[in-house]
Amino acid sequence: MLRANATINPENIHSVIESRQNRTSWIDTGEVWRYRELLYFLVWRDLKVRYKQTLLGLGWAILQPLATIAIFTITFSKWAKVPSDGYPYPLFAFLGILAWNFFAASARNSVNSITTSASLISKVYFPRILCPCAAVVATFADFLVALMLIVPMAIRYDIAWSFSGMLVFAGLTAGVGLFALGFGLWLGPINARFRDVAQLMPFAFQIWMYATPVIYPMAIVPDEYRRFLVMNPMV
């Protein structure tokens, strides 16, 4: 028992985080929902840091894919004569590049989210899964901004809209986001221990992109190699 005039040494105070052995899921969705305001703050923080002191702001989310499309259109469509399944190559490449950039950026940011939030993690308790989740959601905001280009491009090339097609696209986008989140949950803790993971990812994703039919159609892949290519989850 402490006396009235006793002092407490802060160094002797420790917080203990215990895991629940009877939990049915390794992700407590209820706890994540209770910390949803913190998730919003982390997303807003990532966006502010990314575009702080930039003149174009979110405009970079549009400019970067546009520059990439222009280069790929000249290189692969005009010079190499790569087909595009009967669709205009700029539109074909735009959707592929946009989806790939969303996945690659989300995966890289979610993997690095634990290390970039180390100061916050060491000071206060919150569900650690919020870090990779915020990284993916912040990258999704860039994806939505760049996706607005699809409207003028569809008008320019007279491409008809279909409700079923939009539903499929939304479902595939959600799948890509969850796949990228899986990278953060799996490789994030490893990257916190071995920083080689972050150094390897840009090189690995560059090779992975060319092994994925993003800038070329699946039809040009020989049949004997196609069965191996479909093992790529991003196909």
Side-chain angles (χ1 to χ4, degrees), residues 131-182:
C131 293
C133 285
V136 174
V137 175
T139 310
F140 181 68
D142 292 342
F143 172 82
L144 290 180
V145 172
L147 187 62
M148 293 189 298
L149 286 174
I150 195 66
V151 176
M153 294 184 71
I155 296 175
R156 165 65 178 81
Y157 295 108
D158 194 22
I159 300 297
W161 298 86
S162 71
F163 182 72
S164 59
M166 288 188 288
L167 287 179
V168 171
F169 184 78
L172 291 175
T173 302
V176 169
L178 291 175
F179 186 39
L181 177 61

Side-chain angles (χ1 to χ4, degrees), residues 9-119:
N9 187 356
E11 296 181 356
N12 295 330
I13 301 177
H14 304 279
S15 297
V16 178
I17 301 176
E18 298 180 350
S19 62
R20 292 172 295 167
Q21 300 298 327
N22 60 344
R23 61 184 179 182
T24 58
S25 174
W26 65 281
I27 297 179
D28 189 342
T29 55
E31 186 179 36
V32 172
W33 175 252
R34 289 194 298 272
Y35 283 85
R36 61 188 182 275
E37 293 184 0
L38 178 59
L39 176 62
Y40 170 79
F41 166 78
L42 293 176
V43 172
W44 181 246
R45 182 202 62 175
D46 289 350
L47 291 174
K48 287 181 63 177
V49 170
R50 189 176 307 168
Y51 297 110
K52 185 179 181 180
Q53 296 181 340
T54 60
L55 294 177
L56 296 181
L58 284 174
W60 284 108
I62 298 177
L63 184 60
Q64 290 176 353
L66 273 181
T68 306
I69 293 166
I71 295 173
F72 284 167
T73 299
I74 295 174
T75 304
F76 292 97
S77 180
K78 302 299 183 182
W79 295 347
K81 304 298 182 182
V82 174
S84 54
D85 284 344
Y87 294 97
Y89 188 85
L91 183 61
F92 173 87
F94 172 74
L95 289 176
I97 292 170
L98 190 64
W100 176 262
N101 286 348
F102 172 50
F103 164 69
S106 296
R108 288 195 302 265
N109 294 339
S110 62
V111 168
N112 293 323
S113 62
I114 300 297
T115 56
T116 55
S117 301
S119 59

